[in-house]
Amino acid sequence: MRKLVPPEKIPGQALEKIIERDSKLGSIYPAISMYEFISKISSDSAAGVPEISLVGSEPEKLDSVDVFKETSAKNKLKLSGLSIFQKDKRVGFLNEKESMGVSWLNNQIKNTTVNYVDGNVMSAFLIRKAKVKVTPIKNLNHYYLNVDVKATGDLLSASSQREMKDMQSIHQLQMQAAEIIKLQIQEGWKALQQKNIDLIGVGNKIHHKYPKDWKKIKETWPEEFANMDIKIGVKMKLARPGLFEKSFNELLKNE
């Protein structure tokens, strides 16, 4: 790439920092090493690679140091999706919402924000820690996916005027966050099934857990994967709910 990205003189370093920052703060498009990429595309699974696009117009003097005198670049690099590779081919693409669900399923959530909106009820949560266990379970001659999520975070904001120290209110807020997490996972899973791409390594998990059965279903695995059911359980814990005793809207009314 020939685009200059101040203050980095080497565009590759700028791209690396963009992806690393998203992995640490958003977890939407997790970074992947070359070793992980090769390992996945050489197995029965697939690999997701953050896709970067160029937004805006091209500078006239791209090869000149004058580009560093600009206070704002005319074009910018942007993470725009997740490219999916299987073997040696690019076979699909996931948007932001779908990629977020896959990040949950791959246990790659580090820090991210989830928002709950239901009519006039709104709340926002910062997920600081998450552990996701994905297990394929055999049911007669077919399989379903069991997803167990344990997440811890903070309440960022809430529109409700209830006291956040009330245990019933805290429980309801935790249920709201859990509901959003579940919906995000379902959206990612639905996208993978529609594209019939095993980006979360379910086939590898079945291979390790049921090696004899895998030999029987390996040839028909795409069809099996596309018809698998999913069962999601989410336990959300608010670490510091007492920090928000009143909503921001209520504080403004008292001014």
Side-chain angles (χ1 to χ4, degrees):
M1 291 186 64
R2 295 173 61 244
K3 175 171 171 56
L4 296 177
V5 191
E8 301 292 342
K9 292 184 179 181
I10 303 176
Q13 291 181 346
L15 297 179
E16 181 181 8
K17 288 183 178 180
I18 290 172
I19 295 173
E20 285 182 351
R21 182 176 177 82
D22 177 81
S23 295
K24 291 179 181 179
L25 302 179
S27 302
I28 299 172
Y29 306 114
I32 183 172
S33 68
M34 184 60 71
Y35 174 78
E36 291 174 317
F37 176 75
I38 294 174
S39 297
K40 288 185 176 183
I41 64 173
S42 60
S43 68
D44 296 311
S45 185
V49 179
E51 186 172 293
I52 296 178
S53 59
L54 201 59
V55 180
S57 59
E58 189 74 16
E60 295 180 0
K61 297 180 179 180
L62 187 63
D63 297 323
S64 171
V65 293
D66 290 340
V67 72
F68 289 100
K69 297 178 182 179
E70 299 288 338
T71 57
S72 179
K74 294 182 179 180
N75 57 2
K76 302 180 186 299
L77 295 175
K78 176 185 177 182
L79 286 171
S80 55
L82 195 72
S83 284
I84 306 173
F85 290 84
Q86 204 163 30
K87 300 304 179 182
D88 59 343
K89 295 181 179 179
R90 180 182 184 275
V91 294
F93 170 87
L94 296 180
N95 61 33
E96 182 177 315
K97 291 183 178 180
E98 295 166 344
S99 182
M100 189 71 209
V102 173
S103 291
W104 281 107
L105 288 167
N106 276 325
N107 194 28
Q108 293 177 311
I109 299 296
K110 296 179 181 178
N111 280 292
T112 193
T113 302
V114 297
N115 299 292
Y116 177 88
V117 180
D118 184 8
N120 294 325
V121 179
M122 294 178 287
S123 50
F125 309 89
L126 174 62
I127 308 299
R128 293 190 177 275
K129 185 178 180 181
K131 184 177 181 181
V132 184
K133 186 177 181 181
V134 176
T135 309
I137 306 295
K138 187 177 180 180
N139 184 14
L140 297 178
N141 294 323
H142 297 282
Y143 300 84
Y144 71 89
L145 202 63
N146 187 71
V147 181
D148 181 40
V149 181
K150 294 180 180 178
T152 303
D154 301 330
L155 175 65
L156 295 179
S157 64
S159 59
S160 173
Q161 298 181 6
R162 297 166 303 181
E163 286 290 330
M164 295 307 162
K165 291 181 180 180
D166 178 74
M167 291 306 297
Q168 185 176 354
S169 300
I170 294 172
H171 176 71
Q172 188 166 351
L173 286 166
Q174 291 176 157
M175 293 294 290
Q176 290 174 3
E179 181 180 340
I180 296 302
I181 293 171
K182 185 176 180 180
L183 289 174
Q184 289 181 338
I185 293 174
Q186 288 175 335
E187 186 154 5
W189 174 249
K190 182 180 178 181
L192 294 181
Q193 284 194 306
Q194 287 178 342
K195 300 177 189 302
N196 210 348
I197 297 173
D198 184 6
L199 191 56
I200 59 176
V202 180
N204 290 335
K205 294 179 186 295
I206 294 178
H207 189 184
H208 292 149
K209 189 174 181 180
Y210 307 101
K212 292 183 180 179
D213 293 338
W214 176 249
K215 293 180 181 179
K216 299 178 183 178
I217 67 169
K218 184 176 181 179
E219 297 301 322
T220 58
W221 172 235
E223 291 80 6
E224 179 72 31
F225 177 80
N227 291 295
M228 283 182 70
D229 291 325
I230 187 170
K231 181 180 179 181
I232 306 171
V234 181
K235 292 183 180 180
M236 176 68 191
K237 179 181 179 183
L238 288 178
R240 296 179 291 179
L243 292 179
F244 288 85
E245 296 181 15
K246 295 183 179 180
S247 70
F248 183 66
N249 290 333
E250 184 181 357
L251 292 174
L252 288 177
K253 291 179 181 179
N254 294 332
E255 287 293 330

